[in-house]
Structure formats: C-alpha cells, structure tokens
Amino acid sequence: MKNLKKVLMSCVCISLLVVLITGCETKKETKSETKKETKKETNILDDNKSYLFIIDGKKIYAGDKISSLSKFGYNIREKEKDQEVPANKYMIGAGNMTNETNSIIFSVTPYNIESSAVKVTDAVIGGFRLSKSYAKNDEKAMNIEVYGKIKLGSTMEEVEKVFGQPESKNEGTGYTTYRYKSEEVYRNYTIRFDENNVVDSIEWQNLVFNN
C-alpha cells in the first residue's frame, strides 16, 4: 500500500513538472511572437531616422544644423544667408544650397525651433529636395542617397521595394509622382519618376522630428 502511494505521488509530481515546463515554453513562444508582430507593424514613414540624406557616406538628419553642410562644400545661397526665420516656423524658398561654383544643387527647408528669430544659416533642416535638373552638374550630389539607398536614377521597382505602394500617385506627360505620408501631418516623402520610370527628384519633409 505504501509503495502504491509513493508511485501515485511520483506520478503527480511528474505531471506538475510537465505542466510547468509546458507553460514556460508557451510564454517564451508568446513573447517571441509578440516581438515579431511589433517589428512588422513598424512603419518606416513614422520613423524619424528615415528622414535623412547621405553625402560622402555621412548621414544628415532632419533637425541637424544647416550650417553642418558646409563641410561637404555646400552653403546657403549668398542672398538668402541673412534672411530671418521666425520663432517656431519654417521657411519656403530660402534654403537653396550652392556648391563652390555658386550653382544651386539642392535645397533644404530652414526650420527654427528656437523661441526667437534666427538667420537661415542658424536654422535646422526641416526638409530636403534633390532634383536631377539642378544636381546633374555636381557628381557628388548625383550620388546623394536617402532612406533605403534610394537616389537619383533609382528605378520605380527599387523605390517600391523600400517604401511600398504610395498613398497617392499622379501621372502626367513624361512623369509619375509617388507620395508617401506618415501619420504625422508634417512628415512625408515625395518621389518623382521620369518617362523611363527612374527617379528624377526626391523630396521629404519632417517638422516633427522632436516627437
């Protein structure tokens, strides 16, 4: 009888141990699945790190100083340098960047995050625009990349592989424009293709990089 009790107790203990081990394994699997699901749900358009451009292998992000571009040989156009950007505002049309020959190569959006007005040269980058029509005479600019190594000359297929299908698409004579939007109003990408479906201009805006 005593032996029977011992056998029964042993069986109960083994059963409990199996249940505990199974429970632990289930928890591990659940955590792993949750991590995978969270990773899948991440949208690159909602990630501030997606709003950048790369010159000579160096990354420049939304929020970086416009003046930092001088080390690459690009400076604000002379007549725009002393213009003032009001406090907590951005300025359109005053961020044209020139090279050593004073040719406009690309443009940025001057954004003032300070509580008082600053000069364009002291503002930060709130947007970026690169067009083949301006960059074609500057070899370094033709190789500027944005997120996913997309650059002037990239194919439509390459863009879709990185960004997916656009939220809106506009087709005209000799061009197609893709627009991608974040959940934030002031954060987006616009990419235009020529008649051969290769990128001929790239533009992004991110005025909410502090969020």
Side-chain angles (χ1 to χ4, degrees), residues 139-200:
E139 186 179 350
K140 185 161 52 179
M142 287 296 292
N143 287 301
I144 290 176
E145 297 178 346
V146 293
Y147 181 81
K149 296 186 177 181
I150 298 300
K151 63 180 182 177
L152 298 175
S154 291
T155 65
M156 186 177 285
E157 184 181 359
E158 288 171 331
V159 170
E160 290 176 354
K161 188 176 180 180
V162 172
F163 291 94
Q165 290 298 315
E167 183 170 326
S168 65
K169 178 179 178 181
N170 182 35
E171 294 179 317
T173 305
Y175 74 89
T176 302
T177 302
Y178 278 12
R179 291 186 175 84
Y180 297 92
K181 295 182 180 180
S182 160
E183 291 183 358
E184 296 281 356
V185 177
Y186 295 106
R187 191 164 57 192
N188 54 72
Y189 258 93
T190 300
I191 300 175
R192 195 180 73 174
F193 306 89
D194 63 15
E195 66 276 9
N196 298 311
N197 288 335
V198 298
V199 175
D200 73 355

Side-chain angles (χ1 to χ4, degrees), residues 58-125:
K58 303 294 182 182
K59 297 177 180 180
I60 300 98
Y61 292 94
D64 287 350
K65 285 278 191 180
I66 291 176
S67 57
S68 68
L69 297 173
S70 62
K71 63 186 174 187
F72 302 106
Y74 300 114
N75 295 284
I76 287 287
R77 185 163 57 167
E78 193 63 37
K79 69 177 185 179
E80 298 171 7
K81 285 183 177 180
D82 293 326
Q83 290 188 40
E84 289 194 337
V85 186
N88 300 307
K89 300 289 184 182
Y90 65 95
M91 184 179 286
I92 300 296
N96 293 297
M97 307 301 299
T98 61
N99 61 8
E100 61 276 2
T101 64
N102 291 319
S103 300
I104 295 174
I105 304 301
F106 61 89
S107 64
V108 295
T109 302
Y111 182 36
N112 181 9
I113 57 175
E114 304 298 332
S115 56
S116 58
V118 299
K119 290 183 178 180
V120 169
T121 49
D122 295 321
V124 300
I125 298 168

